[in-house]
Amino acid sequence: MALYVQKYGGTSVGTPERIEAVAEKVCGFRKAGHDVVVVVSAMSGETNRLIDLAGHIVDEPSPREMDVLISTGEQVTIALLSMALHKRGCEARSYTGAQVKILTDSTHTKARIRQIDGERMRADLDAGRVVVVAGFQGMDEHGNITTLGRGGSDTTAVALAAALKADECQIYTDVDGVYTTDPRVVDSARRLERITFEEMLEMASLGSKILQIRSVEFAGKYHVPLRVLSSFQDGEGTLITLEDDSVMEQPVVSGIAFNRDEAKVTITGVPDTPGSALGILKPISDANIDVDMIIQNVGADNRTDFTFTVPRNDFKRAIDILERTSSQLGAREVSGDTGIAKVSIVGVGMRSHTGVATTMFEALAGEGINIQMIATSEIKVSVVIDEKYLELAVRALHSAFELHQPERDGGDK
Ligand code: ASP
Ligand code: MG
């Protein structure tokens, strides 16, 4: 007997038939004797539809009202799923985020969860009911409805699993696990049996959009075992977990992630004085623009060039801000490029291996691909290249690191 928190995403509840299929699955777990808390997303396309509706009224809707609006999608699916469960003789109750006291801060449209009161859910579970909770939403201390950012139902699920000390948080989605890279780009991409939180975090933040990044952070922090599986086919999926010491030899590289959603901005000829990086980046962060890779080159004349990447849809804002900064700091020029892509190799095994970056650069050079920016962390090497060569780069790296080969189980266990 285990307690599972299961999250079903938008495609998994995209039609009444699919909602019925989810109900079947959940009933199966109940019949096997498990306790289940289900978190659902809105039916696929619904959140976009709601956002679009608001756009027909005003260009910049009030964030508070936006949350009232976009949280409705999930309220539809919890009710429908509960009805489908009842129809199968499975006792269930649906709840909005506020009803199960998912308390968040007041940052509308990207609120953070502060606290969850598991009491009501536990009482239902004890009474033999399935608890069905609307993902993506909560309530602030003043009783306002909040939402957790796009894809936020994943975070709801992990947070509930942490609060209820669930045995596993299972994210049911339209893919059957986490792959070595996007199978649409590389035919031989392979499903991973397991991956560490750290690797998943890098993969997710680098654009493998299976899970909301925040949900992985949360799971890592509270040690919630997280499993990604398909709603549509049986299988073990991929378990995201702590590093496993019983696996003697971790693969050096576990996966290749990529991201086409970034743009590059450059400010050249900035006087090289203490505080110049701050002067450039603070206005950007004050505008809530996420900065990713940063490089700074010092030139000969005590001036420095500064290049960084931002989300592509913030490109224009970033350039506008930099133009202003540039005249304030007496810099030379501001330029940018949206035709870039970032490709990264990720693996905890890098910690104990040398020459990993060299293999990467060799593979790219072998294809004649120019590297524009490089960044590394303990378990990742990222490069920015011309977007045109993205797929070629991913394929070259996938084979250079032999990711099509099954995982070695690393000798004695
Ligand atoms: N419905 C929300 C969205 O599309 C939340 C989610 O699906 O996780 O972003
Ligand atoms: Mg999602």
Side-chain angles (χ1 to χ4, degrees), residues 273-306:
T273 50
S276 60
L278 178 71
I280 293 164
L281 292 175
K282 184 154 188 308
I284 299 279
S285 78
D286 287 347
N288 260 319
I289 299 176
D290 284 330
V291 170
D292 180 27
M293 284 165 89
I294 305 175
I295 50 173
Q296 184 187 6
N297 286 325
V298 182
D301 50 353
N302 270 334
R303 289 185 173 251
T304 173
D305 297 345
F306 214 88

Side-chain angles (χ1 to χ4, degrees), residues 37 45 88 152 178 229 349 383:
V37 173
R88 287 165 177 76
V178 180
L229 340 84
V383 297

Side-chain angles (χ1 to χ4, degrees), residues 177-188:
V178 180
Y179 276 64
T180 48
T181 194
D182 187 339
R184 284 168 303 189
V185 173
V186 182
D187 290 341
S188 60

